[in-house]
Amino acid sequence: MNNLDSELLRTFLAVAGTGSITEGARVIGRSQSATSLQIMRLEEVVGRPVFDRTGRGVSLSQTGEQLLPVAREVTGRLDVALREITADGLRGRLRLAIPDDHGQTRLAAILGAFVQSHPQVELEVTCSISTEFPEMIARGQLDLAVYEVEVSQSFEEVIYVDPTCWVCAKHLSLQNQAVVPIALFDRACWWRDAAIAALEKSGRPYRIVFSSQSVAGVTAAVEAGIAIGLLGKSSIGPQLRTLGTQDGFGETPASQLVIGTSAEADRDLVVTMSSAIRTAFQN
């Protein structure tokens, strides 16, 4: 008697989701030949083709369309059952904050890994500009937050260090203007203070022509060629170039990304979430 094996269904979902045997194989970490064999085995079980082969890949056959919701339901229930069986009993509520400039790329990885391992924990997540996070921790409004500082304190764990530097659009020389146009963050934060202090120390005349709450805003202004800005090296794309002493700009401090926690927060939750955050940023 033939049975629908869950691994066959997962392979089917991977190929259906990508429209390609090759791409589906990459999703599940198998070779293309092994993936093709699993699809053939599935089609033997159901007795009909689940995909129509085309020159550009595969598409669901009528049988595949019928099988798709079943495969999703079966694999979904199995995943839920496994999480419930293997859950470590960790439960409670954790108020977490992550800066929006990092949240877009890291938040999904952090939350996905944490929720799957600890489904009984209720998360309340804030993703915004991080200048207010330390004060929110002090006021008891957050249990844990990720934010940037110039110098870390004893209660803050450094998880990433990003050197800062002045940057301009790749094919422009705004730094040679008599009065240098500058793009800055528009809230009181050490980034803004560091930029202004560096300019004052250099003795170069400048004017602030653009302000933004985010790294993305400052980056856009610099790429558009309307100003130079102070950014972390991790934010420098191919459309920008760095400015150094040869351009009249001296050294600037590094940014330290830290995890700050509340002393009143549940320590088991804080330690576990900190580990998930640390892993996501180090990867």
Side-chain angles (χ1 to χ4, degrees):
M1 179 178 178
N2 290 329
N3 294 305
L4 279 175
D5 184 273
S6 63
E7 288 303 311
L8 297 182
L9 294 179
R10 293 184 192 280
T11 300
F12 165 71
L13 289 174
V15 175
T18 60
S20 164
I21 297 289
T22 302
E23 293 303 317
R26 291 178 182 173
V27 170
I28 60 176
R30 293 180 180 270
S31 68
Q32 182 176 346
S33 59
T35 302
S36 295
L37 287 173
Q38 285 199 309
I39 295 300
M40 291 174 61
R41 174 58 183 154
L42 176 63
E43 291 178 332
E44 289 177 2
V45 171
V46 300
R48 298 175 184 175
V50 295
F51 291 111
D52 293 326
R53 275 68 174 178
T54 67
R56 295 185 177 180
V58 297
S59 60
L60 289 171
S61 66
Q62 184 175 359
T63 300
E65 294 281 3
Q66 292 177 310
L67 183 60
L68 185 62
V70 176
R72 286 172 174 166
E73 181 179 1
V74 170
T75 56
R77 287 188 176 185
L78 288 173
D79 290 341
V80 170
L82 180 61
R83 288 198 298 267
E84 290 178 349
I85 292 170
T86 59
D88 57 6
L90 195 67
R91 62 182 64 239
R93 176 169 169 261
L94 184 69
R95 297 166 299 172
L96 166 70
I98 298 177
D100 52 3
D101 293 314
H102 293 282
Q104 293 179 1
T105 55
R106 312 287 187 180
L107 186 59
I110 294 169
L111 298 186
F114 188 89
V115 170
Q116 286 189 12
S117 300
H118 315 290
Q120 303 301 318
V121 177
E122 177 187 353
L123 292 180
E124 181 180 311
V125 183
T126 298
C127 190
S128 66
I129 190 168
S130 64
T131 53
E132 298 178 354
F133 290 174
E135 186 176 348
M136 292 175 70
I137 291 177
R139 292 198 303 260
Q141 296 174 321
L142 289 174
D143 299 312
L144 182 151
V146 178
Y147 50 91
E148 292 174 297
V149 296
E150 182 178 358
V151 180
S152 60
Q153 305 297 315
S154 59
F155 59 88
E156 296 168 332
E157 176 191 353
V158 179
I159 57 174
Y160 184 73
V161 177
D162 194 11
T164 65
C165 53
W166 291 104
V167 293
C168 69
K170 194 169 186 178
H171 302 295
L172 295 177
S173 300
L174 297 179
Q175 72 277 7
N176 295 328
Q177 294 186 11
V179 179
V180 182
I182 302 294
L184 293 177
F185 293 99
D186 66 357
R187 293 196 180 187
C189 66
W190 79 265
W191 278 82
R192 183 183 180 92
D193 295 341
I196 293 176
L199 289 167
E200 296 290 347
K201 184 177 181 180
S202 71
R204 303 197 60 173
Y206 67 92
R207 58 191 177 96
I208 300 172
V209 300
F210 183 90
S211 295
S212 174
Q213 294 184 7
S214 68
V215 171
V218 173
T219 301
V222 177
E223 288 182 346
I226 66 174
I228 71 169
L230 185 67
L231 294 174
K233 283 193 173 181
S234 64
S235 301
I236 301 174
Q239 303 304 316
L240 303 177
R241 65 182 180 90
T242 60
L243 303 173
T245 53
Q246 71 278 8
D247 303 295
F249 293 90
E251 293 185 358
T252 52
S255 167
Q256 296 187 5
L257 191 69
V258 302
I259 298 175
T261 59
S262 168
E264 286 73 38
D266 184 301
R267 300 319 298 169
D268 289 338
L269 294 181
V270 164
V271 168
T272 306
M273 177 56 80
S274 295
S275 177
I277 292 172
R278 192 181 305 114
T279 299
F281 278 94
Q282 289 175 351
N283 288 341

